[in-house]
Amino acid sequence: MSIRSMTEADLPVCLSFTQQVKWPHRLIDWQLHFELGNGSVIEANLDSDNALSAPQIVGCILWWDYPALNTNTTASSSTSSLSCATVGLVVVPDAMQGRGLGRTLMNTVMAQTGERNLQLVATVAGKRLYEQCGFTVRSTIYQVQGELATKPEVSDDIEISEVDAGSLSAVIELDNQAFRADRSALLKALMARGRCVIAKQNGKALGYAFIRESGRGETIGPVVASDSGVAKALAAALLQQAKAFVRFDLTEHASDLKGWLTDLGLQQVDEVSLMVKGEWLAQQASDSQVYSLASQAFG
């Protein structure tokens, strides 16, 4: 067996792996994660009778680098001055389970990421592996999705406006406050593939939210806001024009938002663990919080 860098030509095979575990990714979703990330695949010769047969991919993993913020403008400890990385799309097909391939993939990423603070979202099946790699559970993520039974009312108390490339800087600043690392490359990529709205009151930016086509329909996230009322206002503005199926990956800050979304007809379909190795930078946030992830992989 050997491990190498992922290429775009590998994506159809990687897509087939996520389809096997019934994750809803489309090829275009894989392409977005690949373009922004650092991927590796494991190859093996599965034909024991022919040593010259072409090796086949038997596992994949990606990670995304979020550089440290400028410490001149952002207070941080010596640990949080390091970059943050999220890890995701870790898949070994059923036929290759039990051979230590998941650990090999994780060891590869941990070597590549060095001393970065690491974050991932773990399914029940993957949690034990990540604990063995030094990750600890820090929070819970709630997957809430479906089709709306009724459209939400939009409040007039908070000004909600569309964001364009020229006004994206305010969104990046809000995200810096909440995630505590530089995700500007991710936000610019999401902007190119979807819509973003920003909430303001008396001229002050209070939060933002993205919506894009993804998986079975549309994904709303990230959602960053100063409080749950702002998060609801942002979500309501985007849900007004949602096409049909919509998904949120909500953080523990979003308990009020989760109840409100289920009242609108969405359902919680999964509950997974947010795990961290090193320092959980978002825990340091004060003025703004992450209410919904960009994706479980991106964070």
Side-chain angles (χ1 to χ4, degrees):
M1 293 189 184
S2 62
I3 193 157
R4 63 167 174 80
S5 296
M6 184 183 293
T7 70
E8 190 167 5
D10 300 327
L11 299 189
V13 175
C14 296
L15 172 64
S16 73
F17 292 168
T18 50
Q19 289 173 334
Q20 285 179 31
V21 294
K22 302 191 184 306
W23 293 353
H25 302 76
R26 307 165 301 162
L27 183 58
I28 193 170
D29 301 321
W30 258 101
Q31 288 169 335
L32 173 62
H33 286 80
F34 168 75
E35 289 168 7
L36 292 172
N38 307 273
S40 297
V41 297
I42 296 180
E43 289 186 319
N45 184 345
L46 301 182
D47 186 352
S48 58
D49 297 327
N50 182 3
L52 298 179
S53 64
Q56 298 181 45
I57 297 173
V58 293
C60 60
I61 193 168
L62 282 139
W63 62 276
W64 297 269
D65 189 19
Y66 302 130
L69 297 175
N70 186 337
T71 55
N72 292 328
T73 58
T74 302
S76 60
S77 69
S78 58
T79 303
S80 63
S81 66
L82 298 173
S83 298
C84 169
T86 60
V87 183
L89 293 174
V90 187
V91 194
V92 174
D94 288 344
M96 299 301 294
Q97 293 280 342
R99 308 187 191 199
L101 300 184
R103 184 58 186 260
T104 298
L105 289 166
M106 287 300 298
N107 286 345
T108 299
V109 163
M110 289 189 292
Q112 292 172 343
T113 54
E115 296 184 352
R116 291 173 177 84
N117 299 294
L118 300 181
Q119 174 180 311
L120 56 78
V121 172
T123 62
V124 173
K127 184 178 175 183
R128 182 168 177 268
L129 166 63
Y130 304 135
E131 288 175 335
Q132 293 171 345
C133 293
F135 286 78
T136 57
V137 175
R138 302 299 298 272
S139 189
T140 302
I141 302 299
Y142 306 96
Q143 183 178 333
V144 175
Q145 63 187 40
E147 296 188 13
L148 293 172
T150 182
K151 293 283 188 180
E153 296 182 2
V154 178
S155 171
D156 295 329
D157 296 336
I158 299 173
E159 177 191 347
I160 305 293
S161 58
E162 294 282 336
V163 174
D164 58 24
S167 56
L168 188 59
S169 59
V171 169
I172 293 172
E173 177 57 32
L174 286 166
D175 194 76
N176 288 348
Q177 295 171 17
F179 200 81
R180 311 299 290 177
D182 182 0
R183 297 200 299 174
S184 56
L186 168 64
L187 300 179
K188 290 173 184 177
L190 297 179
M191 189 74 197
R193 290 164 173 80
R195 294 174 52 224
C196 180
V197 293
I198 190 168
K200 293 183 179 181
Q201 197 167 49
N202 300 322
K204 180 181 179 181
L206 301 177
Y208 77 83
F210 278 89
I211 187 170
R212 71 184 190 279
E213 290 189 7
S214 174
R216 294 173 56 187
E218 294 178 300
T219 292
I220 293 182
V223 178
V224 165
S226 57
D227 59 46
S228 61
V230 173
K232 286 181 185 179
L234 288 161
L238 293 177
L239 288 170
Q240 280 290 325
Q241 299 180 36
K243 296 175 182 177
F245 184 93
V246 65
R247 169 175 171 168
F248 293 79
D249 289 292
L250 300 175
T251 69
E252 289 184 349
H253 295 294
S255 57
D256 288 348
L257 184 61
K258 180 159 68 78
W260 175 73
L261 289 170
T262 55
D263 287 344
L264 293 175
L266 304 188
Q267 295 182 328
Q268 179 184 325
V269 298
D270 203 4
E271 182 177 313
V272 289
S273 299
L274 188 149
M275 304 185 72
V276 172
K277 184 176 184 180
E279 189 170 353
W280 185 22
L281 302 188
Q283 190 178 38
Q284 302 174 4
S286 55
D287 293 337
S288 299
Q289 304 287 348
V290 178
Y291 282 79
S292 187
L293 307 182
S295 73
Q296 291 188 7
F298 283 139

